[in-house]
Amino acid sequence: MKVGLDVGGTKTDAVAVDDAGTIVGRLRVPTGWGPDAVTQTVIDAVRALGTQRGIDLDAVRSVGIGIPGQIEPGSGRVVHAVNLGVDELDLAAAVSPAFGVPVQVENDVKAAALGAYAMHGADGGRPRPGSMAYLNVGTGIAAGIVSNGVLWRGARGTAGEVGHISVDPGGPLCRCGQRGCIEAFAGGGAVAERWARRGALPVRDIFDAADAGDPAALELRAGLARGVASAIRVLVLTADVDIVVLGGGVTALGERLMTDVAAELSASAEASPFMRSLRLRERVELLPAGSPAAALGAALVGAAGTAEHDAEEALAHG
Amino acid sequence: MKVGLDVGGTKTDAVAVDDAGTIVGRLRVPTGWGPDAVTQTVIDAVRALGTQRGIDLDAVRSVGIGIPGQIEPGSGRVVHAVNLGVDELDLAAAVSPAFGVPVQVENDVKAAALGAYAMHGADGGRPRPGSMAYLNVGTGIAAGIVSNGVLWRGARGTAGEVGHISVDPGGPLCRCGQRGCIEAFAGGGAVAERWARRGALPVRDIFDAADAGDPAALELRAGLARGVASAIRVLVLTADVDIVVLGGGVTALGERLMTDVAAELSASAEASPFMRSLRLRERVELLPAGSPAAALGAALVGAAGTAEHDAEEALAHG
């Protein structure tokens, strides 16, 4: 048995996964603010899997945590998780004593990529792809690339950071300082900032206003589709992944977003026989709303870490 | 002993490589036009390694060929090598009988990426990178990505096709049909087409005219640097390769090109703390003029194919 958690800005998703890879328990709890509260959220969520979902916590061999922010390679330390009020936190060291099992920490988008890959084809009908990019369209934009079940980690931790590729020198200013970044066009945070009417669901509000013909909303909505389509093209033309799976908060718009993105991809396919040959529309999928992909992926990261831990123990003790 | 060839639009570069990986013989011959002449060029070049460079051809165990165009996966067949007058050619089958050894065929940019990776650090001073992108800036623009010595092949043969990522919706029309592709800005073919004065070395002519203050040349030269810098950013932000090695015909401009590209990278680093943290300028290198990287890489592809061939023979014959 392994446990995985996806620590989000508002909610934390926790799953218990049996040895066959099946999710046997799941719950969501509100995420606390700041290092101590985030640590307590994780501990409480795991304990609740025992008390509320009947998971035998003594059978849990590993805990994996997906969390936004940068993870120092090979450590359980997260830095710059600004949406959680965490500047720096050794989350693995903070959580591990509560359960006495190894704890691994991974960037949430990378964990979701692993989870989405594992779930693809697990439902029977579809063959598992050789490679996949998971494109997270949330407050920001980033991707995780998985090939043959292995995460492409890159040299220095920026693999999949397609959000900060500029696709228009005359485009909107990005919070990173460049102009026309994919994230400036399609990141939920950037789009909401440029939308005059503030509300709980600004991107949905933009789509509604665009449907009603509001020119500013139409422009923002067109930019959003353009940004997502650009990210898909970058991922296929650079890493040549079999499929691109879209997830993250903005994709809660579902088919409303996908229709716009498909139209963008069709436009470049009509202009270019080469782009047409890529059949991009057929290679894009939407992660279902409420998918446990990120928490499942975190559980896989935790278990992989345990396998390494066991091997080291065996070597140390001969 | 293994032989590798880089079949270029005008010249074919052939090397003989000993078991230690050292190039022990090298020569260049003009490339013929059309399928039969290309096949004969390869055969003549290998024979010339024997007659003119003293290589014992009986000791050659494999031949690898890098060639522009698409290679059908797992075959020795090249299609759409338009610069060579080749629409379709089973080059492996055509060359193999002449030498009685296995022949492997690979796309020239992918072969060059493998060769550049193998050469990096082989001269002693520099550590071998974990991952590398080789960015070919020739008539067109494409890259090969190598991680731990293995080529990232992708799902459908378009890995590294960064040339057709659009970075400006108001940019020049690309031969592919899209606007503002990296190749439309920085491909030698596209740049030469937009330059009014035709000559043997149009890109050099553009740089000279730009030095003299010609406005059209200044614009083309700025676009060239911008396109190359965009490709570097895409490769690092998507695949997060340790280093990007530039090669191809346009890079014969050497430091004149690199100075412009470095200025472009510095501009985005100044605008963006995130881009600055990537230290892109330090991660870009220029393949030396006349480097045998592509032919060496082809030799490695040929030898790898032979290892597979041997394993299959052993299985077949018990």
Side-chain angles (χ1 to χ4, degrees):
Chain A
M1 187 80 74
K2 46 190 174 274
V3 164
L5 301 103
D6 176 41
V7 180
T10 53
K11 279 176 297 186
T12 290
D13 189 14
V15 296
V17 181
D18 69 13
D19 293 343
T22 306
I23 294 173
V24 292
R26 182 181 185 192
L27 55 79
R28 270 172 278 199
V29 298
T31 304
W33 174 261
D36 293 345
V38 165
T39 300
Q40 199 59 48
T41 298
V42 169
I43 292 171
D44 291 347
V46 178
R47 288 198 176 130
L49 282 171
T51 55
Q52 295 177 30
R53 296 291 181 271
I55 303 299
D56 176 9
L57 294 186
D58 288 338
V60 171
R61 297 266 296 125
S62 63
V63 172
I65 306 169
I67 189 165
Q70 288 174 251
I71 313 301
E72 290 183 10
S75 83
R77 185 181 292 274
V78 55
V79 293
H80 304 315
V82 286
N83 292 342
L84 303 172
V86 171
D87 187 45
E88 188 177 340
L89 169 64
D90 192 338
L91 188 54
V95 168
S96 187
F99 304 106
V101 299
V103 175
Q104 305 291 325
V105 181
E106 181 58 276
N107 171 270
D108 60 342
V109 174
K110 290 190 168 65
L114 276 173
Y117 185 90
M119 290 174 71
H120 206 278
D123 57 0
R126 303 169 302 176
R128 183 158 294 177
S131 56
M132 168 195 281
Y134 168 73
L135 179 64
N136 194 73
V137 189
T139 306
I141 292 199
I145 299 168
V146 179
S147 177
N148 294 319
V150 179
L151 199 61
W152 177 279
R153 289 192 181 274
R156 310 189 191 184
T158 64
E161 288 285 355
V162 296
H164 297 292
I165 291 171
S166 169
V167 292
D168 186 350
L173 190 64
C174 182
R175 65 181 171 85
C176 89
Q178 299 184 102
R179 275 211 175 270
C181 287
I182 285 173
E183 182 167 306
F185 278 109
V191 170
E193 268 178 31
R194 303 217 306 284
W195 182 231
R197 298 184 340 214
R198 298 301 165 90
L201 294 165
V203 180
R204 193 176 297 274
D205 193 32
I206 290 165
F207 270 64
D208 290 344
D211 281 342
D214 181 291
L218 282 165
E219 191 189 329
L220 287 172
R221 179 171 161 174
L224 213 155
R226 191 172 140 201
V228 173
S230 293
I232 292 165
R233 292 190 200 102
V234 164
L235 288 164
V236 171
L237 287 170
T238 306
D240 189 22
V241 286
D242 265 310
I243 64 166
V244 179
V245 174
L246 305 186
V250 173
T251 64
L253 286 162
E255 285 308 315
R256 296 177 82 183
L257 175 67
M258 292 301 274
T259 302
D260 288 9
V261 171
E264 271 287 326
L265 296 176
S266 294
S268 56
E270 272 162 39
S272 165
F274 172 67
M275 294 306 291
R276 189 154 62 244
S277 76
L278 303 181
R279 300 177 172 276
L280 291 181
R281 280 187 60 172
E282 301 165 24
R283 294 165 78 173
V284 177
E285 298 179 8
L286 189 62
L287 201 65
S291 167
L296 173 65
L300 297 175
V301 169
T306 305
E308 281 170 28
H309 177 84
D310 288 349
E312 280 166 20
E313 290 274 299
L315 278 171
H317 299 293
Chain B
M1 188 80 73
K2 47 190 173 274
V3 165
L5 300 102
D6 176 42
V7 180
T10 53
K11 278 176 297 188
T12 290
D13 189 15
V15 296
V17 181
D18 69 13
D19 293 342
T22 306
I23 294 173
V24 293
R26 182 183 186 191
L27 55 78
R28 269 170 280 199
V29 297
T31 304
W33 175 261
D36 292 346
V38 165
T39 300
Q40 199 59 48
T41 298
V42 170
I43 292 171
D44 291 349
V46 178
R47 288 198 175 129
L49 283 171
T51 55
Q52 295 178 30
R53 296 292 181 271
I55 302 300
D56 175 9
L57 295 187
D58 290 336
V60 172
R61 299 264 297 125
S62 64
V63 172
I65 306 170
I67 188 165
Q70 289 173 251
I71 313 302
E72 291 183 8
S75 83
R77 184 181 293 275
V78 55
V79 292
H80 304 314
V82 287
N83 292 341
L84 303 171
V86 171
D87 187 45
E88 188 178 339
L89 170 62
D90 192 339
L91 188 54
V95 168
S96 187
F99 304 106
V101 298
V103 175
Q104 304 291 326
V105 181
E106 181 56 276
N107 170 270
D108 60 341
V109 174
K110 290 189 167 67
L114 276 173
Y117 185 89
M119 290 173 72
H120 205 279
D123 57 359
R126 302 170 302 175
R128 184 158 295 177
S131 56
M132 167 193 282
Y134 168 74
L135 179 65
N136 194 73
V137 189
T139 305
I141 291 200
I145 300 168
V146 179
S147 177
N148 294 319
V150 178
L151 199 60
W152 177 278
R153 290 192 181 274
R156 311 190 189 183
T158 63
E161 287 286 355
V162 295
H164 297 292
I165 291 171
S166 169
V167 293
D168 186 351
L173 190 65
C174 182
R175 64 180 172 86
C176 89
Q178 299 185 101
R179 274 212 174 269
C181 286
I182 286 174
E183 182 168 307
F185 277 109
V191 170
E193 268 178 30
R194 302 216 309 282
W195 182 230
R197 298 180 346 209
R198 299 298 166 92
L201 294 165
V203 180
R204 194 176 296 275
D205 193 31
I206 289 165
F207 270 64
D208 291 345
D211 281 342
D214 181 291
L218 282 165
E219 191 189 330
L220 286 172
R221 179 170 162 175
L224 213 154
R226 192 172 139 199
V228 173
S230 293
I232 292 165
R233 291 189 202 103
V234 164
L235 288 164
V236 171
L237 286 171
T238 307
D240 189 23
V241 287
D242 265 312
I243 64 166
V244 178
V245 175
L246 305 184
V250 172
T251 64
L253 287 162
E255 285 307 315
R256 295 176 81 184
L257 174 66
M258 292 300 273
T259 302
D260 288 9
V261 171
E264 271 287 326
L265 295 176
S266 294
S268 54
E270 272 163 39
S272 166
F274 172 67
M275 294 307 290
R276 188 154 63 244
S277 76
L278 302 181
R279 299 179 172 275
L280 291 181
R281 280 188 61 171
E282 300 165 23
R283 294 164 78 172
V284 178
E285 297 180 8
L286 189 63
L287 201 66
S291 166
L296 173 64
L300 297 175
V301 169
T306 305
E308 281 169 30
H309 177 84
D310 288 351
E312 280 165 21
E313 291 274 300
L315 279 171
H317 301 293

